[in-house]
Amino acid sequence: MTAAAREEILRRIRAAAVPPAPEPPRHYLRHAPGVPDEDRPAVLALFAERLEEYGAEVLRADRPGPAVARALAEHGARSLVVPDGLPAEWTADWDGEVRTDRPPLGKAGLDATDAVLTGCAAAVADSGTLVLDGGPAQGRRAATLLPDLHVCVVRAEQVRSALPGALARLDPARPLTFVSGPSATADIEMIRVKGVHGPRRLAVVLLD
Amino acid sequence: MPPNPPRPRTALFVTCLNDTLFPGTGRATVTLLRRLGVEVDFPAAQSCCGQMHFNTGYRKETARLARHFVDTFADYEEIVVPSASCAGMPAEAYPLAAEAAGDPGLARAVAELAPRVVELTQYLTDRLGVEQVGAHFPHRVTYHPTCHSLRATGLGERPHRLLRAVAGIDYVELPAAQECCGFGGTFAVKNPAVSGAMNGDKARHVLETGAHVLAAVDNSCLMNIGGRLTKDGHPVRTLHLAEILARTEQDGPLPGVPVVEAAR
Amino acid sequence: MTRSFLGWPAFPEAAEREVGNEQLRENVRRATRTIRGKRAVLAAERPDWEQLRDSAAAIKDQVLAGLEQYLLQVEEKVTAAGGTVHWARDAAEANRIVTDLVLATGEREIVKVKSMLTEEIGLDAALEAAGINARETDLAAAIVQLGDDLPSHVVVPALHRNRSEIRDIFAREMGRHGRPAPEGLTDDPAELAEAARLHLREKFLGARVAVSGANFVVAETGTLVVVESEGNGRMCLTLADTLISVVGIEKTVPTWADLEVFLQLLARNATGERMAPYTSTWTGTTHGDGPRDFHLVLVDNGRTRALADPVGRQALRCIRCGACMNTCPVYERTGGHAYGSVYPGPIGAILNPLLKGLDDEQTASLPYASTLCGACNEVCPVRIRFTDVLLDLRAQVADGGKHPVERAALGAVGATMARPLLWKAAVKGAGLVGPLLPARTPVPGWSDNRALPDVPKESFRTWWKRNEGERA
């Protein structure tokens, strides 16, 4: 049935005889307005500003351990899930319970954990976006979804000024999650409410 | 002094609505243009641009009117139109009408004629290069940018500049000016409830300005808004912009409309 | 019971009913104005906004011109990445495919990510008929589902509801479908969102099958993209064992890099955000992360019909941002239900006729559900020329003889207008205001809320003749 449907749809498309289209122009900016990628202080300042506008917390630090511990403590987290292979120094300054996601915690286990700590694959200053790709220090998607606090460590060189720069560095074969601030909804009278299903709190440790 | 070069042959396309229901707009256009040194002709064979037909979907009927338009105005160097939506018809609609009618000859004639058809305020500011037209109008006026004049013709600030240059005028901005009044040609009769709701909001905004006169460059929309204001018992006058620009100090204030002190 | 738009009245009738609902008008007015303001700020923030729109329109035109090749590429890449691709010519076929896939898992309660396509094809009702309970997880979609209501907006399907109506729906209905709303629930939006979080949490944790749509499908890589705000999308896309994504064939984009255009436009234009909180992309299945089974159902359901329309095909560029309805003065007064379709507003006025044809009165009324004001043209991120398409569809309606009475009337006026002598006679004739207002009697529709203009004593042409005579 689906084979017949496939043939029929493709036949209809051919019958529509759409004329060839010209090559698309690409005259848009490849960086945030006024913030070229080379201007690193401006890129990082914009990234922090945009995250904070969303209600995410930004901790700028030169070492991850103390900042991570501060973020977790501020939000009263007592349990933390971390992906397998996360650098030990990231949690070295925190005295709560660390649960490594190996073997994988069940959904209920993740749901019952206060926080998750990860790195990221890339970040975008213009939109205050973190991108997770399941690579080193990031783990599987469910782990960054069910705990209510997400603490994400971003290295300065991972932050691109705008989306085009980040997309070019990502591998679409991997499952990607672009996070731009905490979960939110505007479904009730178009009023933005922070925190629905995803983590309601997001803290970013930005390593300069 | 050498004699003035011969003026281009200028025709007035008054539009069918103005001809029948708003002749004052036609008269004002003639008065205004003559004052600015433009001798206009009125080819009596003219009728309707076919906008109502085209916007309702009747393209072959539009083609018939397009042919008539082309025949009537072919010999004129420029055709001035005191209506943005009608002025746009030759360029925007006639090619499609000619295509629907399978008439490449008409399409060619239209392509040749359309660039010479100009909306009045565009004619004043762009062709004649004037904004100060010697008008005097000591009344409080607000202006509704009709959708076609705003988005299709792209008149931008031209009408506002012309209005602000009028002596004695108290010009006030209309809130939510760019919102449609709900006329939309046959929309007003096909969807009276929605159209009425839109028109009610527009009329409310007009009243909020405290203006005694509402101006626009399309009498169709003014007929809609004015009809609402009248029905609700508000004495706001609706006037085509030409009728404001045509008045001079000799004419005095518009009878029946409160006079404002020239504060600015 | 699932409500549907089946047998819905034509636009003028439905619109009249909706316009009379003061509460609805206030809800829609407030919501659309809020979002309009936010959008304007974020679009103005980009100096290259027009260039982004140029690119988006051109990329989508490229997709439409090469659709066969792009779909085959999608099929190849998704299959290679461990997914299964299905093809559905119409709604019934798509519903059958999804129903069979769900039945094969043995599950009877599944979760859904908001998808306008699944609303379009009536998937929930089809699943229900097969004994499958599909729970909507997007907040607005859940409000619509719990209220046994119909969507009225493509981004915020419950836009026509205000907070107190939502509170009532939650308090009354949640308990019948799972965890009840908390005692003493107020109409504070944050509290309502929290109630939805709690109600849906157990659904997410228990569901083994999820159904989604997709905002984009990248041909080059076989990657699907879902853009959302709440995290319900991530829950469904990540926690289920089986994921079934039902996607219109026009959702394709050629390359991964093309996403940089659409993802920068979509949220700014849709919700007034720089990016939506969550964008998820996936390519087939990934070992140890997310669903083990992935099915992509590619749906035509009238899209190839739209594709064959030389003027109308541009409607297939649509990325469902909803900006056209947020900015539409008609939509603002009627809300979405008046359009009788899950696609309301300007895009609905053109897309429904293009997908379904103009054979029924309801669909044929939609191209006339516009004043042609053109506000939608200005906000569309893919530069759909709505007014061009509306006018073209009206010509199709007129050519199809849908309005024979109107045609005869306009034809007669046109014939008079094209004959100078007849026209002159008509304008001058006593008792005739002109062929425009055949008599000084109330005009149906017009006179309901407007006075007719005073009839002048003489026409312009009579004045001209007199005046010219004097000058001569």
Side-chain angles (χ1 to χ4, degrees), chain C residues 121-249:
Chain C
I121 62 177
L123 178 63
D124 287 5
L127 290 170
E128 189 182 319
I132 299 159
N133 184 7
R135 301 313 300 172
E136 296 291 346
T137 61
D138 168 78
L139 179 50
I143 294 165
V144 168
Q145 188 181 44
L146 287 168
D148 190 23
D149 201 348
L150 288 163
S152 71
H153 190 279
V154 296
V155 175
V156 189
L159 179 125
H160 57 291
R161 294 291 191 191
N162 67 22
R163 59 181 80 185
S164 75
E165 294 169 305
I166 295 167
R167 192 214 76 91
D168 293 347
I169 293 167
F170 279 8
R172 192 178 65 233
E173 299 293 335
M174 275 183 169
R176 298 178 50 213
H177 300 278
R179 180 170 172 158
E183 282 294 315
L185 182 67
T186 75
D187 64 4
D188 173 30
E191 228 180 277
L192 295 170
E194 173 67 13
R197 176 185 171 95
L198 295 171
H199 177 77
L200 289 168
R201 198 76 171 184
E202 63 179 34
K203 309 274 181 209
F204 291 131
L205 296 179
R208 305 185 57 179
V209 179
V211 170
S212 84
N215 294 87
F216 308 100
V217 180
V218 181
E220 175 188 50
T221 57
T223 306
L224 275 79
V225 182
V226 163
V227 177
E228 49 125 4
S229 295
E230 296 164 16
N232 64 304
R234 291 180 68 191
M235 293 277 179
C236 295
L237 302 173
T238 308
L239 299 182
D241 297 330
T242 300
L243 173 62
I244 305 165
S245 298
V246 191
V247 181
I249 54 175

Side-chain angles (χ1 to χ4, degrees), chain A residues 2 6 12 14 25-26 28-30 53 111 146 172 176 178 180 183-184 187 189 192 196-197 200, chain C residues 48 55 68 75 87 140 163 194 197 201 229-230 234 256 258 260 273-274 277 279 281 283 289 300:
Chain A
T2 187
R6 178 181 185 275
R12 289 173 185 171
R14 285 191 294 274
R26 301 201 183 256
Y28 48 86
L29 297 174
R30 304 198 64 79
E53 271 180 44
D111 193 35
L146 292 170
L176 303 177
F178 297 66
S180 306
S183 157
D187 280 355
E189 296 182 11
R192 192 179 162 96
V196 194
H197 305 298
R200 285 181 286 192
Chain C
D48 56 344
S55 298
E68 180 180 15
E75 182 183 52
W87 301 71
R163 59 181 80 185
E194 173 67 13
R197 176 185 171 95
R201 198 76 171 184
S229 295
E230 296 164 16
R234 291 180 68 191
W256 175 251
D258 290 329
E260 71 193 21
E273 298 168 294
R274 296 185 182 90
T279 300
T281 78
T283 305
D289 188 350
D300 180 347

Side-chain angles (χ1 to χ4, degrees), chain B residues 12 14 16-28 30-31 34 39-48 50 52-61 64-65 68 100 147-148 150-151 176 178-199 201-202 205 220 223-228 230-232, chain C residues 11-13 15-16 19 25 29 33 36 329-334 365 368-375 378 385 388 391-396 398-399 403-404 406-407 410-420 423-424 427 433-437 443-456 458-464 467-468 471:
Chain B
L12 169 67
V14 75
C16 64
L17 187 73
N18 290 333
D19 192 1
T20 55
L21 287 175
F22 301 98
T25 297
R27 292 197 299 269
V30 172
T31 305
R34 278 181 182 157
E39 202 47 53
V40 280
D41 191 18
F42 177 77
Q46 64 181 271
S47 59
C48 167
M52 184 167 58
H53 300 77
F54 184 78
N55 285 356
T56 314
Y58 298 96
R59 295 196 170 184
K60 294 196 185 88
E61 288 79 352
R64 195 157 54 165
L65 292 164
H68 181 67
C147 297
H148 205 102
L150 184 73
R151 302 194 180 87
Q178 303 201 347
E179 279 179 27
C180 179
C181 72
F183 175 63
T186 50
F187 181 83
V189 286
K190 278 178 187 283
N191 289 287
V194 189
S195 174
M198 293 165 69
N199 199 14
D201 289 342
K202 181 59 73 178
H205 290 311
S220 48
M223 179 170 78
N224 181 48
I225 308 166
R228 178 58 178 254
T230 303
K231 181 124 184 166
D232 291 351
Chain C
F11 184 81
E13 193 188 324
E16 184 170 0
V19 168
R25 257 171 77 186
R29 193 190 68 83
R33 289 188 175 246
R36 239 189 266 176
V330 174
Y331 179 93
E332 183 184 328
R333 272 73 182 192
T334 64
S365 73
Y368 295 90
S370 164
T371 62
L372 303 175
C373 86
E378 297 189 332
R385 292 282 311 171
D388 289 356
L391 285 166
D392 192 73
L393 288 167
R394 289 178 185 193
Q396 293 181 32
D399 284 345
H403 298 302
E406 182 181 270
R407 154 160 257 147
L410 278 173
V413 176
T416 308
M417 286 168 166
R419 292 184 182 80
W423 171 252
K424 275 190 260 183
V427 173
V433 170
L436 300 172
L437 295 173
V443 177
W446 182 272
S447 307
D448 298 351
N449 47 35
R450 299 172 194 83
L452 282 165
D454 291 332
V455 184
E458 65 176 0
S459 66
F460 175 78
R461 65 181 58 239
T462 307
W463 173 83
W464 173 268
N467 182 56
E468 285 303 282
R471 280 163 63 91

Side-chain angles (χ1 to χ4, degrees), chain A residues 104-171:
Chain A
L105 276 68
K107 293 178 198 173
L110 289 171
D111 193 35
T113 305
D114 295 335
V116 56
L117 172 65
T118 68
C120 71
V124 181
D126 183 48
S127 50
T129 302
L130 311 164
V131 191
L132 309 174
D133 73 352
Q138 295 167 64
R140 63 196 173 108
R141 289 172 287 171
T144 52
L145 180 57
L146 292 170
D148 208 19
L149 168 66
H150 182 187
V151 180
C152 184
V153 176
V154 181
R155 297 192 315 274
E157 73 270 16
Q158 292 183 306
V159 186
R160 311 312 300 164
S161 175
L163 188 67
L167 278 182
R169 298 177 144 210
L170 293 163
D171 177 4

